[in-house]
Amino acid sequence: MTDSPGKAGSMTLSRVSPREGDPPITPELVEDHGLSPSEYERVLEILGREPTYTELGVFSAMWSEHCGYKNSKRLLSLLPTVAPWVIQGPGENAGVIDIGDGLALAFKIESHNHPSAVEPYQGAATGVGGILRDVFTMGARPIAILDSLRFGDLDTGRVRYLFSGVVKGVGDYGNCVGIPNIGGETFFDRGYEGNPIVNAMCLGLMKAEDLIKGEAEGVGNPLMVVGARTGRDGIHGATFASAELSDDSQASRPQVQVGDPFTEKLLLEASLELIKSGHITGIQDMGAAGITSSASEMAGRSGNGVEIDMDLVPVREPGMTPYEILLSESQERMLVVAKSGSENEVRDILAKWELEAEEIGRVTDDGLFRVLEGDRVVAEIPSLPLTEGCPTYEREGVESEEIRELRCTDLTRFNEADADQSAAFLKLMGSPNIASKSWVYGQYDTTVRTGTAVRPGGDAGVVRLRGTRRAIAATTDCNGRYVYLNPRSGTLAAVAEAARNLVCVGALPTAVTNNLNFGNPLKPYIYYQFREAVLAMAEACKLFETPVTGGNVSFYNETNGVAIYPTPVIGMVGVIEDVDHITRHAFQNVGDTIILLGDNTDELGASEYLYVMEGLVAGEPPSVDLLRERGLQHAVLAMIQHGLLHSAHDVSEGGLACALAESALGSGENPLGVEVTLQDAVPVLPLLFGEAQGRVVISCDPRSAGEALVFAKRHGVPCRTIGKVVPSDEGFRIDGRATTLEADVEILAELYFRAIPNLMDGARPS
């Protein structure tokens, strides 16, 4: 383990004195603030004295895992972040890429896991609010939201409570602000029993020249807080998010912020008008650690200092101390650097939107983060040690022997299974992980702003760009079971599936934002999982030419010492050059030829089949060949761009049988049947339900099938015709060498579309 403290040096800042009534600084208080003894020694070295209580709170927040990335920053530096189309990479509120025609896309994903575990509605709602602000502070208008959610099994009341609260929180906030939710994922597994995962992603559109950054530029320029007033909600939210949960975590409800989407909508419009007005030089969301992080980060990025007076901050509650004001995470607030002399213009713009704008300080040239309470200096800290100088660590990473043994579980006995495969298929189609998530996205407005071209339920969401022929596609992907059993191949699979989902709707994968959800990194097996995942992500993103423009690390996702599955969620965006190329996952026409791209294998490890039928999370997850995945991407895009395909759908959870059923059922409005024959010399269960990677099911006019096969072979992609689309009354049928799987389409539809509603109504489907 090594320490990287920064280069600030020691300073004696004698003007600072403790406030009357503040607690004395004791080892116990330091520990309660999440600082190790060595980190506290570093604080003493930076200040040249003992910190005040206010300063201790500032260091606690800024050196928390949530803000400081102390256990992840070194590994994250290995990710590819540069490409000709990347305008803004990691380090700002959101990443920005060039998408042509003078337009740019700002996008990012972030977590709100801990708050959602103790207060699901507000935790999820404020997660959406925070990611919206990250995007519009870049000067981009939000155009779409995606949500990546994970919960325990739906057979307990607590999980159903968390699930319903999170979904309602996501939906209510996005609906009120008027941003369509175009996709994401929802997954259920006992591995998330103690900690739900709530990751929110936002896309925003802007003109490239309108980009603005969160920097405190211009010595003497005023700092203004705009938007809502500051209250006591969310104090120490960043520190709360940097610790494990326990049975006592309900006591942390005061650290969960409370959102107001109607104020957020006003703040969105006011912020965009401010940016266009030319009256400001920088703007920053007050997210984790509130004023502390926004002011210190803006100062750190610019190399300047800031001086702020707590007596000038508009507050909701009387008697708030500087400590409380600095660390409050009250929502719908921004910190703005106005041009000197433009203060009244800023106030006028905010007043137009019925919001406040108050001057609370100024930009200085001394490189210090200085906090006043009237005439008293209550904190004075060099800015860079708070941000760039956060201690960073490389930990020991050792694989868990228990997990290794699970991965080495012998699954060959399932190759000789003689169970009723049709019955197993029906049970899988009723599994919440396979079944339609319409219960979720039915609570979201998916078409507001009228740009949505592909709604939730397909491989990726798609939004048209008005005034152009282009569209933007986005997806979130990760199978935590895969990563749990094999962090490296599981993460490769997450990146590869995200790319497959984009090409299936006709988009070229372009860039990535990631949300890395893990347990306690101080545990060697957790750090091993994290290290392997980051290394795999770097490998895949380099090969796919999808640079990582930013994201979020969420550690300490544990309850009573039990960690979630490691879940590195990949948020990937892609560009569709012509809206005529937008492709959907559902079969379109009776008589169309069905073609399988990619190879069926005998891999059954980590599958939904094992979880549903055997209660097992075991075996080696499916392997990933990145070069073959790249060839598959190019082949599918070439076929789509030549107008050959009527549908394209990635094969993932539930395997080939379930992928065919999903394409047959579509949205439920026009279900179709299939007649498929599989001649592979592969055991029945892996053939039907194995989750081998690198496969896509496509359909096309029979007259185009030969040309489609030629395109696939030209790109080195295994391919073959496997069947045809038939009317729904002819049923769903797969014939193999050793099995025949049959199902009635109406029964399939009932299971698929009613599974989650029935569980949420308390009745498990038969």
Side-chain angles (χ1 to χ4, degrees), residues 447-460:
T447 58
V448 63
R449 298 180 57 81
T450 68
T452 306
V454 177
R455 299 170 61 185
D459 287 74

Side-chain angles (χ1 to χ4, degrees), residues 196-212:
I197 298 300
V198 179
N199 296 170
M201 180 175 171
C202 181
L203 316 178
L205 189 65
M206 62 192 298
K207 292 182 179 179
E209 65 265 24
D210 289 340
L211 173 67
I212 189 168

Side-chain angles (χ1 to χ4, degrees), residues 91-94 133-140 210-217 222-227 267-277 279-286 293-295 297-298 301 333-338 346 349-350:
E92 269 289 344
N93 291 299
R133 291 192 297 278
D134 280 342
V135 165
F136 68 72
T137 53
M138 302 300 294
D210 289 340
L211 173 67
I212 189 168
K213 298 182 180 181
E215 297 178 347
E217 293 290 353
L223 291 169
M224 303 183 75
V225 61
V226 304
L267 184 60
L268 185 162
E269 299 298 342
S271 298
L272 292 178
E273 185 170 340
L274 269 180
I275 292 166
K276 290 184 180 296
S277 73
H279 294 307
I280 66 173
T281 65
I283 183 169
Q284 174 88 5
D285 169 40
M286 290 190 201
S293 64
S294 55
E297 287 172 1
M298 293 180 86
R301 291 184 189 124
R333 299 178 302 157
M334 295 286 188
L335 188 65
V336 163
V337 180
V346 171
I349 290 173
L350 269 294

